[in-house]
Amino acid sequence: MKRAIILTFGLCLAFTACIEKKPYQRAERENPVSTRLADMVVDEDRLLETAGVESTAYRTLHRTHREEVYTYLAQALIADPEDLYRAALILNRAEPANAAEACLMAHFLAEAAAAEGFASAKQLAAQSMDRYLVLTGKSQLYGTQYYNDSEGRLRLFPVDPNVSDSERALYNVSPLDSLKARLGRGEPD
């Protein structure tokens, strides 16, 4: 566990250095890291549709992609907001056994992308933080994480009651009552 925390901290430092040294500027020619990240997202999306998240093929591909993203981060090669978003998306998809640290890093990447003006990253920032919290046994903040109960009904993981709907709106997340209504329930979990 200590090793994972140290690795996560080191990656955060490397990521911070990446952002500070490489402010966002759209390159005139295509960046090979940008192209590779875009390809990774497309490959994972395609395999998710055909094989599913539980397939060995998807897990193997995702593990390779996740390691590649960490390598790019360690080398400070990701600075473009859209690339930050793509890297966050890949890390947020980690299988539960490896997901807590990956989701926390995904949250930081998505926050950075959103701060640089990539609006789609806001919701991913909320989703990755909620996933991190749920995986570590805490209540989620925004209400983006669901599970199927023993009867197959979709349920909302516990949500921190101190987070307001106005804060959810900052991350493009619907009000909590609306989220619960989609589940066909009006009562809190």
Side-chain angles (χ1 to χ4, degrees), residues 18-155:
C18 172
I19 295 299
E20 291 174 359
K21 292 178 185 176
K22 297 182 179 182
Y24 172 59
Q25 292 180 357
R26 195 53 88 171
E28 286 185 23
R29 56 189 164 93
E30 193 64 32
N31 175 341
V33 173
S34 296
T35 302
R36 180 66 183 133
L37 288 167
D39 290 346
M40 283 192 265
V41 170
V42 168
D43 291 347
E44 285 193 11
D45 287 346
R46 187 176 301 127
L47 199 51
L48 278 171
E49 286 179 24
T50 59
V53 71
E54 297 298 323
S55 73
T56 302
Y58 175 75
R59 287 178 180 214
T60 301
L61 178 70
H62 176 73
R63 189 175 312 111
T64 302
H65 287 171
R66 191 174 65 244
E67 290 169 5
E68 196 170 339
V69 167
Y70 281 133
T71 299
Y72 291 150
L73 290 170
Q75 295 173 359
L77 296 175
I78 303 174
D80 178 271
E82 191 168 4
D83 291 343
L84 292 167
Y85 172 80
R86 290 175 180 142
L89 184 62
I90 291 166
L91 293 180
N92 195 51
R93 291 175 171 175
E95 64 269 11
N98 302 306
E101 291 84 11
C103 289
L104 187 57
M105 179 59 78
H107 172 74
F108 292 131
L109 295 170
E111 285 281 3
E116 291 291 323
F118 196 75
S120 299
K122 288 181 179 183
Q123 192 169 48
L124 181 57
Q127 291 168 342
S128 56
M129 178 51 73
D130 277 354
R131 187 162 188 236
Y132 168 76
L133 291 169
V134 167
L135 288 168
T136 57
K138 297 174 182 75
S139 294
Q140 61 181 320
L141 299 177
Y142 306 104
T144 65
Q145 301 300 298
Y146 301 86
Y147 68 98
N148 287 315
D149 68 11
S150 60
E151 296 172 8
R153 292 177 298 197
L154 200 57
R155 300 288 187 189

